[in-house]
Amino acid sequence: MAGGASTKDPTVNPMKFIALWIWNMSKYTDADQIKYNYKVKNTFEGLSKIQKGSSQSSASIRIYCDNDSRWKLADDRPNTPEALQNAKQPIQEQFWVDSANGMRQKGIRYCQAKASDPNGPVAGLDIMAVTYRSPDDPKDDYDKTMLRPRDVITICDIILTKDMFLTIGGIAAKSKLAGLEVDLFQSVVSFKMLHELTHCRPWMTKDIAPAYGWKNITKNPQPFLNAENYGQLPLEVPIHQADASSRTAFYGLFSALIDNKYNLAGGSSDANSGLLEKL
């Protein structure tokens, strides 16, 4: 990922050009660029080794398309006064249980949240996918008999409906990509899946506000560090401890776009806006 003309010209080495924008690589020395390139490569190599398990009980990553319907209100203890019963509490104070995966959480089921709900997990946004993780500390685990660790992804109905279900090939077939903004592809199911997989262990990326959208993920002056959330981290902080989920998803997306002969526009203003151009 060393500097030079090849990283500034999208036609010479497209993925290096993309990395410049996604991880602000140009602000680092050549040696650090090589180091961070290694971390990005390791992340994608790890993701590529995910394999289908033989059973749910042996799977550390589990994927559902049930719109979080498996989550049920937690039962009350015997003789709980009516005013304190779980179902009587405000929705953000209710406890929910996913018995199939041994998880318990407080608050609304994410796929059930609405953008208009001020008490929703992300006000103003419809949730397209979500990852639930078993607690890091075994003694906090709701079901201590299950495999540890375990991460559970739900792909929400909103991107599985007829009008919203999008693929890169489908978009390419319906429109001229040149001049369109890359943010259009955030509803592509494979984009969301890659985003959610990076939340799983061992990568454990986080969504650090502002977490979504091309302009938000490229304007962070310290993409590998985040002092506000993690304290004063050393430069050697692993990529999976930064706000890397959306960055990783965009990087994977561009790999597919380049295969389809489209890339980020070469001009600084156009690239900053996330515009695409034909290779």
Side-chain angles (χ1 to χ4, degrees):
M1 201 73 67
S6 63
T7 60
K8 298 179 181 179
D9 184 346
T11 64
V12 174
N13 193 321
M15 291 309 291
K16 284 187 176 180
F17 178 73
I18 294 301
L20 269 178
W21 284 92
I22 292 180
W23 281 289
N24 295 330
M25 284 292 190
S26 59
K27 72 187 292 293
Y28 297 107
T29 65
D30 284 0
D32 283 331
Q33 287 186 28
I34 293 172
K35 178 171 58 179
Y36 287 133
N37 179 44
Y38 179 76
K39 294 181 185 298
V40 173
K41 180 181 177 182
N42 275 355
T43 298
F44 277 95
E45 284 184 346
L47 290 167
S48 72
K49 293 176 181 177
I50 296 175
Q51 296 182 346
K52 181 179 179 180
S54 59
S55 66
Q56 175 172 313
S57 62
S58 64
S60 59
I61 298 175
R62 306 166 184 187
I63 302 170
Y64 287 79
C65 297
D66 66 349
N67 209 46
D68 276 344
S69 63
R70 67 188 180 280
W71 288 88
K72 306 299 182 184
L73 274 173
D75 293 334
D76 295 306
R77 292 189 176 92
N79 303 317
T80 299
E82 183 176 357
L84 298 179
Q85 291 175 2
N86 195 27
K88 302 290 185 180
Q89 305 310 305
I91 194 166
Q92 63 269 27
E93 297 295 324
Q94 293 175 341
F95 284 92
W96 295 80
V97 172
D98 172 6
S99 298
N101 298 290
M103 293 188 175
R104 183 176 187 263
Q105 77 158 32
K106 183 179 181 181
I108 194 169
R109 298 167 290 172
Y110 281 76
C111 283
Q112 302 288 329
K114 302 297 181 184
S116 58
D117 183 0
N119 296 316
V122 186
L125 289 178
D126 285 314
I127 304 300
M128 297 184 181
V130 60
T131 299
Y132 302 95
R133 293 202 294 251
S134 59
D136 293 330
D137 192 331
K139 71 175 182 291
D140 295 330
D141 207 329
Y142 179 70
D143 189 339
K144 297 177 177 60
T145 68
M146 289 198 176
L147 176 75
R148 289 189 46 80
R150 57 194 184 279
D151 301 295
V152 184
I153 297 171
T154 307
I155 303 298
C156 304
D157 280 359
I158 190 170
I159 61 170
L160 296 176
T161 59
K162 181 178 179 181
D163 292 335
M164 283 291 292
F165 185 82
L166 298 172
T167 63
I168 293 173
I171 294 175
K174 293 180 180 180
S175 60
K176 296 179 180 179
L177 294 187
L180 293 181
E181 294 186 3
V182 69
D183 278 344
L184 171 69
F185 293 87
Q186 289 187 92
S187 295
V188 170
V189 177
S190 56
F191 177 94
K192 287 300 178 188
M193 180 59 73
L194 180 55
H195 178 114
E196 296 306 322
L197 284 171
T198 66
H199 284 322
C200 299
R201 278 149 298 194
W203 308 285
M204 292 183 68
T205 61
K206 299 182 182 296
D207 293 325
I208 301 172
Y212 308 106
W214 178 255
K215 291 182 180 179
N216 285 332
I217 66 118
T218 57
K219 72 182 181 181
N220 188 330
Q222 292 185 302
F224 294 99
L225 308 173
N226 194 297
E228 181 177 346
N229 288 272
Y230 299 102
Q232 298 297 323
L233 297 179
L235 190 60
E236 290 77 11
V237 61
I239 184 174
H240 62 264
Q241 289 184 343
D243 63 339
S245 50
S246 286
R247 296 176 191 274
T248 305
F250 271 111
Y251 196 61
L253 169 63
F254 270 106
S255 177
L257 286 174
I258 288 169
D259 286 343
N260 284 276
K261 307 302 181 186
Y262 290 93
N263 194 20
L264 188 65
S268 293
S269 177
D270 288 345
N272 186 58
S273 296
L275 294 178
L276 301 174
E277 65 182 12
K278 186 76 174 179
L279 281 174

